[in-house]
Structures are given as structure tokens and as C-alpha cells.
Amino acid sequence: MTLQRQHRPATQADVAREVGVSRTLVSFAFRGAAGVSDETKQAIFEAAKRLGYRHNAAAAALASKSRTAVGLYLLDLRNEVYSDVLNGVRLALPQARNRLILSVSRSIGGVDPGAMDSLVEARVGIIIAAALLDPDARVRELAQTTPVVSVTRRVEGVDSVYPDDDAGARAAVEHLLDLGHTRIAHLAGPPFEGHTVRQEVYGQIMRSAGLAPQTVAAADFTQEAAERAAAELLAGPDRPTAVFAHNDQFALGVREAAYALGLTVPGDLSLVGYDDSRTARLHGIDLTSVDLYAVELGKIAGGVALERLNDPGAPLADRCLTPRLVVRNSTAPLR
């Protein structure tokens, strides 16, 4: 006999009584565990639908002694590079019985410990962290409690999957030098540990070429902050003829600031971004950019996370991808 609908939510015990099986078997069915026949699974799922039972995977994880969920920390979903990382992680997990729990930080205001803490509180088995702003020591401390895979940034002492920013920045700046530009500026992000390699390489190359580096830093990692910093840079008396931006989002901020001042890209200003986002490839944008293979980084990071869950004592992973410069119509020879 079917139970009458009750005011309280249906439970696994209600489903078990409906089907005539144990509550443990119902739990196994919803977790996809072995030992439940296809016929019994179908009966359990049909009874659950009739009773209005909804499986709470998060609660199940909290009740379980094993932690198999994968937490994913992203700095800012408005930046397409992080959605590409997310897509890559998803590609690595579809056949695995691992839930993916997402937490997104604030891009304004610096370090946001709450975003990572929420994943720890959810009792995930491992955290994939894209572009953490925390100091290396803090990341290593966190990894003592919950293993961390750092993606897009190398952190000594934890699993890391990252682009060779030295090679990427070098390709970007040398491209502008080859076009004859000598007044090349760099729009950098805030100086967080692990996020200054592109700026450092830019300075090294400029000095090696006998040129003076000209670096300005945005107040945060938003396009709006980049636009404000670029407006001041481009309005100066010694306006650069080319800008290498920390990422594509910053490059778009530079582009908007240039057009607001009546400057054209690339006629008056050559512009190089970093990430090779989908926006960079749009007709009318055509941004020259460094492709760091964000989807592949996410896919590798997802695989590393699964390996760490399966073998906590395995050697640390250190996976570095070499970026490539994609030349489009935002750069041109100096006129």
C-alpha cells in the first residue's frame, strides 16, 4: 500500500518501507554502490518519485566516513579562463563517482578565506583551486587538512598544474619588440604571491633590450579596475604604443580606455592579452593573446585530484604546460 503524503519530507526509511527493502539498500542505490540489482534500483527510484523523496548528496557526504567529493575554487566566474578550467575539470570527472562542489571567490577585496572555508566545511575529499591569492605557506597549511591541487599557479609543496608563465610572457613581449615597439607598458594585477611572474619577465626582457619598463597595477582583478588604470596610463605625455596586459579581461579594459580617449587598436595602440579567451577570438575583438590551454589545465587538475584521492601517499604532481602566442589583429608594426 502506498503511503499517504505527509507534511514532513519523505525519507529513505519511507522509501525502504514502500519497496520492502532495508534503508541501507536504498542508500546504496542512490549512491550508485555495488550490490543492488537493476530491478531493485528501478523499484526504489520509482517509489522515491511517488513519495517525493529527494536524495541529499551533501548530507550523505557529511554522514559518510569517506570523502570523495571534489571541491573547486574559482577566483572569478566573470573571467572566462575560470569557466574554461571548470569545463576541463568536468571532463575529467564524468565517469567518476565524485560530486563536484563549486565555490567562487570575490574578485574585489583580495584574499577571500570564506570561499575556501566553505569547501572544507562541506567535507570535500580534495580541493582544486584555480588562482588562489593566499600566500604559499597558507596553501600548504590548508593542504594539511584537505589536499589541494593548485591550478594556473605553482605552489611548492602541493599538487600543481600550471602554465609556463615565463615562456608565455616572453612570447608576448618579444612579439611587440619584433613589431618595432619600444614604449611597451605592462598592465599588472595586484601583487599577490604567485601572480607576478608575467610582470617580472616583462621587466627582465625590457631591461635586456635597453628599454625602461613601464608598469601600472590594477586595484583588483576586474575589467573595471583595469580600465581605470589604463585610462591614467594612456592619458600621460609619454603614452605607450603597445600594452601587454596581465590577462584578456585586463586587455579588454585597456581597449575600452583607449577608445574612450579616441585611440584605435592597433592603429594607435598594439595590445596583447593573456588566456586566449573566447572573447579574444570574437570578430571585432581579434585580440592577440597567449593561450595557456585553460580547459586542458582543468582536465589535468581533475585527473590529479582523482589520483590523489585514490592514493594519498603518491608523489606530488608538478604538471607544466607551455603556452603559445596567438597573433590576431590587435597588434601591428609601429608606425
Side-chain angles (χ1 to χ4, degrees), residues 143-167:
Q144 297 302 310
T145 303
T146 304
V148 173
V149 179
S150 177
V151 58
T152 73
R153 168 188 167 192
R154 186 177 187 273
V155 177
E156 189 75 33
V158 304
D159 292 311
S160 298
V161 182
Y162 56 96
D164 183 347
D165 275 345
D166 188 302

Side-chain angles (χ1 to χ4, degrees), residues 1-3 5 10-21 26 30 39-54:
M1 178 182 296
T2 303
L3 291 172
R5 294 297 299 273
T11 66
Q12 287 190 355
D14 295 330
V15 176
R17 282 193 294 269
E18 175 78 358
V19 181
V21 298
V26 173
F30 278 102
E39 182 180 358
T40 301
K41 279 184 186 177
Q42 183 176 352
I44 289 171
F45 294 155
E46 288 176 353
K49 185 176 181 180
R50 288 196 302 273
L51 297 174
Y53 169 73
R54 296 195 176 198

Side-chain angles (χ1 to χ4, degrees), residues 201-258:
V201 172
Y202 155 79
Q204 292 168 8
I205 296 174
M206 291 292 285
R207 286 187 290 271
S208 295
L211 303 171
Q214 186 179 7
T215 300
V216 294
D220 55 54
F221 284 102
T222 63
Q223 180 178 325
E224 294 77 13
E227 187 172 344
R228 289 192 295 270
E232 183 175 346
L233 171 69
L234 298 177
D238 295 323
R239 176 180 62 80
T241 62
V243 173
F244 166 43
H246 176 76
N247 59 26
D248 286 356
Q249 190 163 250
F250 277 20
L252 294 176
V254 176
R255 186 175 182 270
E256 290 302 304

Side-chain angles (χ1 to χ4, degrees), residues 98-169:
N98 301 82
R99 291 180 303 110
L100 183 63
I101 300 176
L102 179 65
S103 181
V104 181
S105 176
R106 303 184 305 264
S107 56
I108 300 175
V111 176
D112 179 13
M116 288 289 281
D117 289 346
S118 67
L119 295 175
V120 175
E121 291 165 4
R123 295 187 64 182
V124 297
I126 193 164
I127 296 172
I128 300 172
L132 272 174
L133 301 181
D134 303 71
D136 287 4
R138 163 63 180 154
V139 179
R140 286 191 290 270
E141 179 184 351
L142 173 64
Q144 297 302 310
T145 303
T146 304
V148 173
V149 179
S150 177
V151 58
T152 73
R153 168 188 167 192
R154 186 177 187 273
V155 177
E156 189 75 33
V158 304
D159 292 311
S160 298
V161 182
Y162 56 96
D164 183 347
D165 275 345
D166 188 302

Side-chain angles (χ1 to χ4, degrees), residues 248-317:
D248 286 356
Q249 190 163 250
F250 277 20
L252 294 176
V254 176
R255 186 175 182 270
E256 290 302 304
Y259 285 138
L261 292 169
L263 304 175
T264 62
V265 175
D268 299 308
L269 183 73
S270 282
L271 182 59
V272 178
Y274 205 107
D275 292 342
D276 196 35
S277 60
R278 281 161 289 181
T279 299
R281 305 169 208 155
L282 292 176
H283 295 296
I285 301 294
D286 290 322
L287 178 66
T288 295
S289 183
V290 177
D291 185 357
L292 48 64
Y293 302 106
V295 174
E296 186 64 18
L297 288 172
K299 187 175 179 181
I300 294 172
V304 169
L306 294 180
E307 292 170 5
R308 178 62 57 202
L309 284 173
N310 292 330
D311 185 3
L316 289 175

